[in-house]
Amino acid sequence: MAKNVYQKPSLETQTEALKIAKATQRPAQTKKETKLIAQGIEKGIALYKKQQKERARELNRKLKRASSQPQHFAESEDQETLERIVFRQHWLPWLLLGLSWLGWAVYFFVSRGS
């Protein structure tokens, strides 16, 4: 059973928490109240760091599991996803191009014949 051991926050965390507490200090607030707020901020920072470490450990576990899987599974997935891509063009632009050429040819022969 794991014991919940409280580690004292680093000096950097303490100074940062005190700086934040003083920045949000009210005019009638006592030094004791400010110190209590700073301690709460320290605990929040410590909790945040702990959560980030847990997330990093979990990500490392997932990466190790993924890298330990055999490579032939990954290769077969790549082969299955390969598809032949065929670009099919619409017939309308070709029809309009042909009609425009036909129109120019008719215009050329009619205007030349007159």
Side-chain angles (χ1 to χ4, degrees):
M1 187 166 167
K3 292 183 180 181
N4 191 4
V5 178
Y6 178 73
Q7 294 180 350
K8 189 173 182 179
S10 67
L11 184 61
E12 180 182 313
T13 304
Q14 289 176 349
T15 57
E16 185 68 25
L18 190 60
K19 183 193 276 186
I20 293 170
K22 285 184 178 182
T24 59
Q25 187 176 10
R26 303 281 182 191
Q29 187 172 319
T30 64
K31 288 184 178 182
K32 188 175 183 179
E33 291 172 334
T34 305
K35 193 171 185 178
L36 288 172
I37 291 171
Q39 287 175 352
I41 293 171
E42 284 176 24
K43 288 181 182 179
I45 292 172
L47 179 63
Y48 175 77
K49 287 181 179 179
K50 183 179 176 183
Q51 289 173 347
Q52 293 303 312
K53 286 180 183 178
E54 288 175 7
R55 287 181 186 159
R57 280 195 301 269
E58 185 63 33
L59 181 61
N60 284 339
R61 285 185 202 128
K62 286 181 182 179
L63 289 173
K64 284 181 183 178
R65 278 189 227 134
S67 65
S68 68
Q69 290 179 350
Q71 290 292 344
H72 67 276
F73 290 126
E75 292 172 5
S76 65
E77 289 176 7
D78 290 340
Q79 290 174 356
E80 291 175 8
T81 58
L82 290 179
E83 298 176 8
R84 185 173 178 192
I85 299 173
V86 178
F87 293 101
R88 301 190 77 194
Q89 295 181 349
H90 201 270
W91 53 269
L92 182 63
W94 291 106
L95 176 68
L96 293 173
L97 180 65
L99 288 175
S100 66
W101 284 358
L102 183 63
W104 279 108
V106 168
Y107 172 75
F108 179 72
F109 288 119
V110 169
S111 65
R112 195 165 190 229
S114 300

